[in-house]
Amino acid sequence: HPPSEVLIQQWSCSIVSSISHDITLYYSPVPELFILPNGSLFLSESLLEQTLKVGGLEALAYLLLKELSHIIKSHLRHNLQ
């Protein structure tokens, strides 16, 4: 996680049986969401709050699954090569 930010919560999930993902929620006034090539997803508290306020759980699910789909489809590995 970014060194200047404070970790709030971290948990693991498995969307596809062969892939495990760590999802880290951290404090940041900047709304951001990113995923690393190893499948670790980072979500700022400000983006979480904005997403839930505007679109609810459906919007949050969309954001998380959209980012995780990049790992499932190997977009990051392809872009790094």
Side-chain angles (χ1 to χ4, degrees):
H1 46 79
S4 62
E5 312 301 346
V6 176
L7 176 68
I8 296 174
Q9 182 74 36
Q10 185 171 23
W11 62 96
S12 293
C13 67
S14 183
I15 301 298
V16 176
S17 60
S18 62
I19 304 171
S20 178
H21 307 282
D22 289 329
I23 300 174
T24 302
L25 177 65
Y26 64 95
Y27 174 76
S28 174
V30 178
E32 58 187 353
L33 172 65
F34 59 92
I35 194 161
L36 300 179
N38 70 356
S40 296
L41 188 139
F42 293 85
L43 171 66
S44 68
E45 181 186 35
S46 59
L47 181 61
L48 174 64
E49 289 176 354
Q50 287 179 14
T51 302
L52 291 175
K53 183 178 180 179
V54 173
L57 290 175
E58 293 85 3
L60 178 60
Y62 172 80
L63 283 178
L64 295 175
L65 291 172
K66 181 179 177 294
E67 287 300 312
L68 291 172
S69 72
H70 293 299
I71 288 294
I72 293 167
K73 293 186 173 200
S74 302
H75 291 168
L76 293 174
R77 277 177 280 213
H78 178 1
N79 291 340
L80 290 173
Q81 293 177 353

